[in-house]
């Protein structure tokens, strides 16, 4: 077990992250905060910690299913520390071939003792060694819905929804898409560098680069340690942004001199992309609900160095009379269930439920109903979400087109999660001229 100079092991840090997630903190934020706090961890330790924390969270349903077959005390009845120690160890046994089973078991026992559960070391040891001996003999449910739920650690209500909307074959493809190994997608800031220059610079830093198969303006990078440590990132030569998200501004038909309004902009990727396309002309107003989110947009504006973009705090559900019919392009990337980005936000699937999805779909309609009035005649409204849900996507687009006949649905696309893109939906509406 690797222990850093403060005496905290990578497995102990992973446990700390998992406990924070169980308390309701967001997985990607907790992991980022820990990596920032322990920046002196080696690249190997950071990779191990990231995989263990993300993987254990991502596979939680399956891990609990396995543990419950070998433990008289079911996971929901266990103390949180013990439950997460077991989950971590079972993840290593099943999914981390480079970790010997004996090491996973021994380190789990040591961690239990270190956390004050010396009396449970025999229980932890017995359960894990039994699982390690039988890991290849686990019997999974025969019912298709239950099998997919356990195998891919996806709540059954989501499986049920996708099977209803897309069929069994497409549902399996979606589920497999989340588990594909993926590089980081970056969008090149063509105002600060060229693709060739950026490739040379990043390659010189030892970063692996591939051309993105869908977009000329994007690259796939991997093998880097820490994003903020890359000079080209700090200098605003690229923005981390998923390919599907990049498509929003690319499909919007933005022209130099346009006024762009992004009503739910944080952290600012689409708004910054729009500012780049404007090439120093026009103006982008990037809005969001809270000062914290607006500050996040401002940080990215500062790093990227654009002057034709401003960040403003504004509630998208409240009509702004000063913006009526002002926008050439309105970007409405609205709050959603997030079921397209589960590969990055691994805990989101456990927090969402059918009632919350219904509420968020209603919120999307409320916002669309409000912000559509900001679009000029012959202007464009780009509606997008980072989810895979007919309720929030095609049905809401259909509802909007029916309620607002002054808008024509010109184009829509549901993008499913894969190794090169998140799950995402985009609908392009054009407002008719008078």
């Amino acid at each position: 077990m690797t222990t850093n100079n403060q005496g905290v092991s990578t497995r102990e840090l992973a446990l700390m992250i998992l406990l924070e997630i169980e308390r309701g903190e967001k997985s990607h934020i907790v992991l980022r905060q820990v990596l920032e706090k322990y920046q002196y961890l080696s690249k190997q330790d950071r990779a191990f910690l990231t995989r263990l924390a993300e993987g254990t969270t991502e596979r939680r349903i399956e891990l609990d299913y396995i543990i419950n077959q070998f433990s008289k005390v079911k996971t929901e009845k266990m103390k949180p520390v013990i439950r997460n120690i077991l989950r971590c160890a079972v993840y290593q046994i099943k999914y981390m071939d480079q970790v010997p089973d004996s090491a996973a078991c021994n380190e789990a026992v040591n961690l239990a003792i270190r956390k004050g559960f010396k009396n449970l070391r025999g229980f932890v040891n017995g359960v894990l060694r039994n699982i390690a001996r039988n890991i290849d003999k686990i019997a999974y449910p025969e019912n298709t819905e239950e099998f997919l739920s356990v195998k891919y650690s996806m709540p059954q209500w989501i499986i049920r929804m996708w099977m209803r909307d897309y069929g069994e074959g497409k549902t399996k493809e979606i589920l497999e898409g989340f588990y594909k190994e993926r590089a980081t997608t970056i969008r090149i800031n063509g105002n600060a560098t060229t693709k060739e220059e950026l490739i040379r610079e990043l390659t010189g830093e030892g970063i692996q680069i591939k051309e993105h198969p869908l977009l000329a303006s994007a690259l796939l990078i991997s093998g880097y340690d820490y994003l903020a440590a890359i000079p080209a990132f700090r200098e605003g030569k690229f923005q981390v942004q998923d390919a599907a998200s990049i498509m929003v501004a690319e499909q919007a038909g933005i022209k130099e001199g346009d006024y762009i309004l992004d009503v739910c902009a944080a952290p600012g990727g689409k708004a910054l992309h729009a500012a780049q396309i404007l090439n120093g002309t026009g103006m982008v107003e990037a809005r969001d609900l809270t000062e914290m989110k607006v500050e996040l947009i401002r940080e990215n504006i500062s790093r990227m160095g654009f002057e034709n973009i401003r960040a403003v705090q504004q509630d998208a559900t409240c009509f702004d009379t000063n913006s009526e019919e002002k926008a050439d392009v309105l970007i409405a990337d609205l709050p959603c269930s997030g079921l397209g980005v589960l590969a990055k936000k691994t805990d989101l699937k456990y927090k969402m439920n059918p009632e919350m999805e219904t509420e968020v779909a209603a919120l999307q309609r409320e916002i669309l109903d409000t912000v559509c009035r900001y679009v000029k005649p012959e202007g464009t409204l780009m509606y997008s979400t980072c989810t895979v849900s007919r309720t929030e996507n095609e049905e809401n687009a259909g509802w909007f087109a029916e309620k607002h006949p002054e808008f024509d649905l010109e184009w829509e696309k549901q993008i499913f999660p894969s190794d090169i893109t998140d799950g995402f939906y985009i609908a392009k509406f054009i407002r008719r001229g008078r």
Side-chain angles (χ1 to χ4, degrees), residues 326-338:
K326 294 283 179 66
D328 295 288
V329 175
L330 184 132
I331 299 172
D333 184 60
L334 300 188
C336 69
S337 57

Side-chain angles (χ1 to χ4, degrees), residues 13-262:
L13 290 175
L15 175 63
M16 184 172 74
I17 291 167
L18 294 173
L19 290 169
E20 286 294 311
I21 293 168
E22 271 209 357
R23 293 186 194 110
E25 297 299 324
K26 294 178 179 177
S27 60
H28 62 293
I29 292 175
V30 178
L31 177 60
R32 186 178 70 227
Q33 288 171 342
V34 169
L35 290 173
E36 285 174 359
K37 183 177 178 181
Y38 296 90
Q39 283 186 39
Y40 50 79
L41 288 173
S42 69
K43 187 175 179 180
Q44 186 178 2
D45 281 348
R46 292 167 73 84
F48 180 85
L49 172 60
T50 300
R51 179 162 179 211
L52 186 55
E54 287 186 339
T56 302
T57 303
E58 194 171 38
R59 297 279 187 179
R60 184 192 297 174
I61 291 174
E62 183 186 30
L63 299 175
D64 284 1
Y65 178 85
I66 292 170
I67 293 165
N68 286 340
Q69 291 194 28
F70 296 91
S71 172
K72 289 180 181 177
V73 182
K74 303 308 174 192
T75 51
E76 65 268 20
K77 300 288 187 183
M78 293 177 186
K79 294 183 183 297
V81 170
I82 297 300
R83 173 168 60 236
N84 284 291
I85 286 174
L86 290 175
R87 284 171 175 166
C88 253
V90 176
Y91 181 79
Q92 292 167 72
I93 290 167
K94 183 159 178 62
Y95 289 107
M96 298 182 78
D97 294 339
Q98 75 275 29
V99 179
D101 291 352
S102 57
C105 296
N106 292 338
E107 297 296 355
V109 171
N110 292 338
L111 196 48
I113 294 169
R114 185 164 176 160
K115 290 299 177 183
F117 293 95
K118 187 176 181 180
N119 59 321
L120 292 177
R121 61 184 176 181
F123 168 75
V124 170
N125 187 57
V127 169
L128 290 177
R129 297 211 179 265
N130 202 1
I131 289 172
R133 284 193 299 269
N134 295 283
I135 196 68
D136 296 324
K137 304 171 191 170
I138 305 294
Y140 285 80
E142 292 184 8
N143 174 276
T144 301
E145 199 177 283
E146 291 175 19
F147 171 79
L148 293 176
S149 175
V150 172
K151 184 70 177 172
Y152 296 99
S153 285
M154 189 67 67
Q156 279 194 49
W157 75 269
I158 299 175
I159 301 284
R160 198 174 303 122
M161 177 180 74
W162 285 343
M163 286 184 60
R164 178 197 70 210
D165 290 345
Y166 309 112
E168 186 178 329
K170 177 57 76 174
T171 297
K172 285 181 182 176
E173 279 182 37
I174 295 169
L175 294 166
E176 286 167 4
F178 292 124
Y179 289 99
K180 288 182 176 173
E181 191 174 336
R182 56 181 64 203
T184 302
T185 303
I186 62 170
R187 176 175 51 76
I188 303 156
N189 178 7
N191 295 16
T193 187
T194 65
K195 179 188 277 192
E196 293 71 28
E197 287 170 355
L198 185 60
I199 289 172
R200 271 198 303 274
E201 185 173 349
L202 294 179
T203 304
E205 295 275 334
I207 296 167
Q208 282 88 56
I209 299 171
K210 288 183 181 177
E211 297 267 352
H212 199 288
L214 298 179
L215 299 168
S217 59
L219 294 170
L220 294 164
I221 68 168
S222 57
Y224 63 93
D225 182 19
Y226 190 55
L227 195 64
I230 304 172
F233 175 76
R234 295 198 304 271
E235 293 161 11
K237 293 177 180 176
F238 69 84
Q239 174 80 12
V240 174
Q241 188 176 358
D242 188 74
S245 173
I246 293 171
M247 290 177 195
V248 174
E250 290 207 345
Q251 294 291 333
I254 296 168
K255 306 178 298 298
E256 290 193 9
D258 277 353
Y259 173 64
I260 315 294
L261 186 54
D262 188 340

Side-chain angles (χ1 to χ4, degrees), residues 335-379:
C336 69
S337 57
L339 301 182
V341 293
L342 300 181
K344 295 172 182 170
K345 300 181 179 181
T346 48
D347 59 324
L348 200 56
K349 57 191 174 184
Y350 310 120
K351 294 177 177 176
M352 186 55 57
N353 60 48
E355 293 74 27
M356 289 168 68
E357 201 216 7
T358 300
E359 288 170 12
V360 83
L363 175 63
Q364 290 159 354
R365 292 187 179 193
E366 182 184 357
I367 294 174
L368 282 173
D369 215 15
T370 303
V371 302
C372 69
R373 289 181 278 174
Y374 304 152
V375 182
K376 286 180 180 178
E378 299 182 2

